[in-house]
Structures are given as C-alpha cells and as structure tokens.
Amino acid sequence: MSARRLASLELRRLAAGRITRLALVAAALVPLLYGALSIYANWDPYQRLSAVPAAIVMADDGAVGADGGVLDAGVEVERQLIEAGDFDWRRVSPEEADQGVAAGRYGFALVVPPDFSSALMSHAAVDPRAARLTVITNDANNHLLGTVAEQLAERVRSTVATQVGRQTADRLLLSLNTVYEQTAAASTEADELTESTGELIAALVIAQELLAETAELAAEEAFAAQDRAEQAVDLADAAGVSATDAASLGEGAAALEAGGAALREVVSRIRDHAEAVDGQSTSVASAAAAATGLTESSGLLAEAAGEVAGELPSIRRGLAEEFTRLGQSDETIETMLADLDALAGRAAEVDGAADGLAGGLSELTGAGGSMQDAVAALSAAAGDLSSSVAAADAGVDVLVDDGARVADTVADLAESLALLADDAVEQREAQAAAAVAADAAAEQTEVLVGGAVELLELTEGVDGTAFDLADRLAEEVAQIPNVDAATRQAAAQTIASPVTVTDRTHLTAGSHGAGLAPLFLGLALWVGAVVSYLLLRPLSARALAANVPAWRVALGGWLPAAVLGLAQAVTLFIATVLVIGLPAVRPWAVLGLLVVTALAFTGIAHALCAAFGPAGRLLALVALVLQLTTAGSVFPWLTMPEVLHPLHRMLPLGYVVDGLRHLLYGGDVEPALLAVLVCLCWLLLAFVVAVTAAMRRRVWTPGQLRPEIAW
C-alpha cells in the first residue's frame, strides 16, 4: 500500500459525511479567518484614533509680553489638536478629566495649566521656568493608548518648543542686527575719535610750543618787573628826599616870614622913634644884622627852589616811563602826572618868588647899610633918616608879602611832594607785587608746560587706544551677522529646530497591519496545521497492522495535512494580498514561502501527534506559544531576555517572519532562502520523528488498544 493511497483513503474518509466535509472546509479556512482578520483589524489603527474620546483641560490664562503682545499658547495648542483630528477631543474641567480617565470614559486627558503661556514667555525674565503639560493616562483603558498619549504630548511639546524657539531666535537675531548697527556706528565714531585725537595732538603740540614761548616771556617779564620794582624803590626814595627838602624849604619860608614880621616891627619902631636916633642906634644896627640874615636865608631858599624845580622834570620822566612799563595808557599817565606838572609850575613860581625875595633883601641890606651910614652921620643927615626909614618900611612890606607867598607855595609844594611820595610808595608796593605775580605767573606757566606735556602723552595714548578700538570694532562688525528678514526667519527656524530628520527608508511596510502581517501569516499557518490534526489521524492503524513500511505510513499520514496546508496557504495568500491589498513586492515568492512554511508546520504537527498521540496537539499549542513570544515580530528579538534567545534561533517561526518581511517589502532574498532552508530542515526532522513513531507503533500495547485520550 503506497503513501499516496493511504493519504487518499484518509481524505475519502473525511469526505464521506456531511459533517466531516464541513469540518474539513472549516479546517482549510481557519488560517484564513485568523490571518486575514488579524491583518484587516490591525491594518491602520492610527487612522481611526479619532474615534477615541480624549479630554483636554484648558486652564491657560494667557500672557502679555514686554512688547505688549498677547500670547495664548494653550488655546493655540487646543486649536491645533482639534484641527489635527487625531482624537475625539472634549474640553472638560480638571475634575471631570481625572474622573473620566479613571472611569474609562476618556482614553486619556491632556491638562494645560494656567501658567502655560506665562512660563513660555519667562525666558525673557530673570526667573525663567519651563512650561508644563500634564498627561493623565490609565493602562486599564489600554496600555498602547497611554503610550500614544505620551507620544502625542511629546509632539505637542516639540511643536510648542519649536514655535517658541523660533520666536526667541528671531528676536535674538533681530537684536544681533541692532548690535551690528550699533557696533558699526561705534566703529565710525571710533574712526572719528581717532581723527579728533590726531587733531588734538597737533593742537597740543602747538599749545606746548606757545606755552614754552609764554614761559620764556613770563620769565623775561618777571626780570623786567623786578627791575621796575627796584626803580620804583629808587623813585620812592627820591620822592621822599624831595618831600624832606620841601619840608625844609617850608621851614625856611616860615622863618623868612617871621623875620620879615620882626623886621617890620623894628622899622616901625625906628619910624616911631626917629627923633631918638641917638638912643636907638643900637636897634638900627640890630635891624641891619637881621636884614643881612634874611638876605642869606632868601638866597638859600632860592637855591632850594631852583633844585626842586630842576629835579621835577627828571622825576616826571621816570614816572612816565614806569607807568608805560606797567601797561598804563597815555591818557591815564597824563592824568596821573597832571598834579606833578602843577607842582612844577608852583616850584617855578617859588623859585621866582625866592629870587625876588633875595633881590628885595639885597635892597633892604643896602638900605640897612645906608641907615648905618646915616646913624653915623645922624647929626648930619637927620632928614635923610626919615626917607630911608620910609623906604625900608616899604621894602619890609614887600619882603613880608613875598615871604607869605613863598610860604604858601612851599606849603603846596610840600603837600604835593608828600602825595607824590605816597604814590611812589604805593607804586613801589605795586611793582613789588607785580614782580611777585610775574614770578608766580612764570612758575605757573612752567607748570602749564609740564601739564601740556603730560596731556600730550595721555592724548597720544588715547589716540593709540582709539585706533586699536576702531580696528577691533571693525573686526567685530565683520563677524556679527547682519541678515535680512527672510534670512533671519530661516535662521530662527533652524535655531529653533536645529535637527531635521530625513526619513530615508530602504523598505516600508506601508501600514501597521502590513507590518504585523508576517507574524499573522506564520501564526495562521501554524494554527491551520494544528487544526488539521484535529480531524486527521497521523498514522493509519490499518497500514501499521498490514505491516506497511514505516516511512510509507508516516508519509501517508502527513500528505493529507500537506494538501490541506497547501490549500490554507493559497487561500490565505489570495485573501490577504489580492483581497485586502497587502503590499507584496515579490508576491510569487511570498506564496512559495507560505507553501513551504505550511508543509513544514504540518510536518511538525504530524510528528508531534505521531509521537505523542493526542497529547501532541497540546504540545503543538505549547510550541505555538513559544514561537509567538520568541519570533520577534512586534519588537526586535534582541530585546527579549537572553534566556529566550536560543528558542528564537531554534524555532522556525522567527525565520519565517523575517523571510516574509523581506519578500513583502522588497528586501534581500537571503532571509527568505534561510527561512526555506530552516523549514525544510524541520520538515526532514519531523519526518524522521514520524517514521520513528510509526516503527514504534508496530508493537501493540494495552495503552494503544485502550488509549487514555482517543482521536
């Protein structure tokens, strides 16, 4: 009995009854139901999240910026979320959001606090703080939904951060433009400052030269002032001597006036007592002697007056020169010397009066001599005595009058000379003060020269510093960016979002369901293999009793499941690829791998059922669980605990999933070839196990005759 006949007998057995035929059809459609429905249900769940209710708590109070602009970031976030339509957003109170998430009415809740906008604007203040968003989740609702909510909150955070960063960067770049303009203006002003300091240095050099010349002139003026002071001292001394002489002259004039008065009395007595000429001869002799003394005094007075009159012109010239050196104008000098000119006139008058007085006294002396002769010849010329006395009386009157005039003139001269002496003293003191002031001015000029030198050095230092500053400012201006509005906005966008992720994908599944399709296809074929042996018998008892070779019995027990697995793979391929629209870059290769997988999985299920009987189906389910956890379909298998890594490397489902990914998405064929090789190895191993089980079952045991679990 051949293996093909054994397989046909088994299939005819199942097709004999209506129920068995329905069961056979159901077994063929189980992978289709599991695989196709799983792929369809998970095809694109993210596009249907808009049906999930989510709560949003909008408590943002907004904020007002320094420029007066109003920021309502929370309202903007809410608007963007509603427009995106990712979830069924509902605005609620904080209490309702918390209770709704806890009760499952909302998948999650997003809470925007009152200080959300103000925190976003706090970067410009001295107390910056981060804005907060609170996500309320409940894994009892759905764990993945909580993960999606957290991703959504992160997306909102990233979007808000980008917007705020762009605005901040734009303001920063605008400030840089302002800094550029101000630095450029400062550079221009620094250049102007350099030019100004250069001009100042040139002016200071000229000022230094002028101050040096002024210092020399001040020194010369100090020496000249010292000379003028010495001349003023001499002038004051001469004025003092002249005043002393004038005083002596006044005393002589007073004595002359007194002598004239005495002489008048004597002449009067002579005239009264002419008749007693004899008795009065002695008086006449005394009068003659007095006249002789007056004559001598008037001579001295004439000489003194002549000396004063001669000295006054030289004094006037000295004073005029001195006043000219002091810088007095000609009008002022003439006004100051007017009194001296008047004094010179009076001195001339005194000199003339003194000369007249001397002449009168000479005449009086001559008259006195005649009177003496007359006394001697008294007895001879008594008549002549009366006429001589009369003449003498007239001469005395003239003498007295002239003496009075001389006295007055001398008094005026003495007063003028005294004033001149005082003026000379004041002039001496003024010249002394001027000399001191000239010395001080010379010293101060020297100080000014030294200060000018220091100022010149400082100005040269300032000029060098200004030149360096201008160069540095010019360099800084070249380094500061100065961009237009469009470039500034582009730069702000780059600063706010410096990293742009370019999604360069070698292979793409296209949807969530397509990404999970390799796992669902493999699991569906495994489930189909297990379900097949709920109907099929792994080994034919009739063939075993007929002593058919074990390999034929094993092959005959596997072929019906292989045919059923082939039907499962074809229908699954048609439903998923052609009906649902699962993208397949290599569709025929996908179909081939599905067929090989179905053959391998039915072989493994056949081997387990042949070796362990009805318990083999339970072991097949255990193998299904192990492969479901170790296939690495949802997460990379390397993320599993290391203790499970050997199971992934040993069991075939992981290789099948990897091979289907590459065939569906257009990757390399090596993983698919490896999956085929692994499946063939497992098929061969399963056939060996089935043959071994068939050989072992040739020996009938009570357990085989009365199995604890029957087919």
Side-chain angles (χ1 to χ4, degrees), residues 213-225:
E213 295 176 359
T214 303
E216 295 177 359
L217 294 176
E220 295 176 358
E221 181 62 25
F223 289 125

Side-chain angles (χ1 to χ4, degrees), residues 103-343:
R105 292 192 300 272
Y106 306 113
F108 65 95
L110 179 65
V111 180
V112 181
D115 62 341
F116 184 71
S117 295
S118 60
L120 289 177
M121 298 189 68
S122 64
H123 64 276
V126 296
D127 186 21
R129 61 187 186 279
R132 296 177 295 106
L133 288 175
T134 302
V135 180
I136 303 175
T137 60
N138 186 359
D139 286 347
N141 297 334
N142 190 285
H143 172 69
L144 290 179
L145 187 60
T147 303
V148 171
E150 293 176 357
Q151 294 176 354
L152 177 65
E154 176 61 24
R155 188 180 69 186
V156 171
R157 186 207 65 78
S158 177
T159 301
V160 173
T162 300
Q163 292 176 353
V164 174
R166 182 173 62 251
Q167 295 172 0
T168 303
D170 185 70
R171 287 194 294 268
L172 177 61
L173 292 175
L174 185 60
S175 299
L176 284 178
N177 284 352
T178 304
V179 171
Y180 174 85
E181 294 174 358
Q182 294 178 351
T183 306
S187 177
T188 303
E189 293 177 356
D191 293 335
E192 295 176 356
L193 177 61
T194 303
E195 296 177 359
S196 299
T197 52
E199 296 175 357
L200 180 59
I201 290 174
L204 286 175
V205 170
I206 296 174
Q208 182 183 3
E209 296 175 354
L210 293 176
L211 284 174
E213 295 176 359
T214 303
E216 295 177 359
L217 294 176
E220 295 176 358
E221 181 62 25
F223 289 125
Q226 187 66 32
D227 294 339
R228 288 194 297 273
E230 294 176 357
Q231 293 176 2
V233 171
D234 296 339
L235 180 61
D237 292 340
V241 172
S242 299
T244 302
D245 293 340
S248 299
L249 184 60
E251 292 176 357
L256 178 61
E257 184 177 3
L263 181 59
R264 176 179 291 177
E265 292 178 357
V266 172
V267 172
S268 178
R269 284 193 302 271
I270 292 173
R271 185 182 55 194
D272 292 338
H273 302 286
E275 62 276 5
V277 174
D278 292 335
Q280 299 295 327
S281 59
T282 303
S283 298
V284 174
S286 298
T292 302
L294 288 175
T295 301
E296 295 177 356
S297 298
S298 64
L300 293 175
L301 178 60
E303 293 178 0
E307 292 178 357
V308 170
E311 289 293 332
L312 285 177
S314 62
I315 292 173
R316 187 184 188 284
R317 285 193 300 272
L319 290 176
E321 293 176 358
E322 190 64 27
F323 289 153
T324 302
R325 291 178 183 177
L326 293 176
Q328 300 294 330
S329 63
D330 295 338
E331 295 179 357
T332 303
I333 295 173
E334 292 297 331
T335 302
M336 296 175 65
L337 296 179
D339 294 338
L340 185 61
D341 293 337
L343 180 61

Side-chain angles (χ1 to χ4, degrees), residues 11-27 535:
L11 290 176
R12 283 199 300 268
R13 183 184 68 81
L14 292 176
R18 181 179 178 182
I19 299 300
T20 54
R21 286 196 302 269
L22 292 176
L24 187 62
V25 173
L535 302 176

Side-chain angles (χ1 to χ4, degrees), residues 409-484:
T409 303
V410 169
D412 294 337
L413 179 61
E415 183 179 356
S416 298
L417 289 176
L419 294 176
L420 180 61
D422 294 338
D423 292 339
V425 171
E426 293 177 358
Q427 185 66 26
R428 180 187 62 190
E429 295 175 354
Q431 289 295 332
V436 173
D439 291 336
E443 295 177 357
Q444 292 296 326
T445 305
E446 291 294 333
V447 173
L448 287 176
V449 171
V453 173
E454 295 179 358
L455 181 58
L456 178 60
E457 295 176 353
L458 291 175
T459 306
E460 290 176 348
V462 171
D463 181 65
T465 304
F467 186 79
D468 295 338
L469 177 61
D471 289 342
R472 287 196 298 270
L473 287 175
E475 294 175 358
E476 294 296 332
V477 167
Q479 295 178 0
I480 297 175
N482 183 27
V483 296
D484 54 15

Side-chain angles (χ1 to χ4, degrees), residues 33 85 267 269 289 336 363 393 411 424 432 551 576 628 637 655 702:
L33 294 175
V267 172
R269 284 193 302 271
M336 296 175 65
E363 293 177 358
D393 186 34
W551 66 271
T576 55
L628 180 62
W637 65 272
Y655 295 96

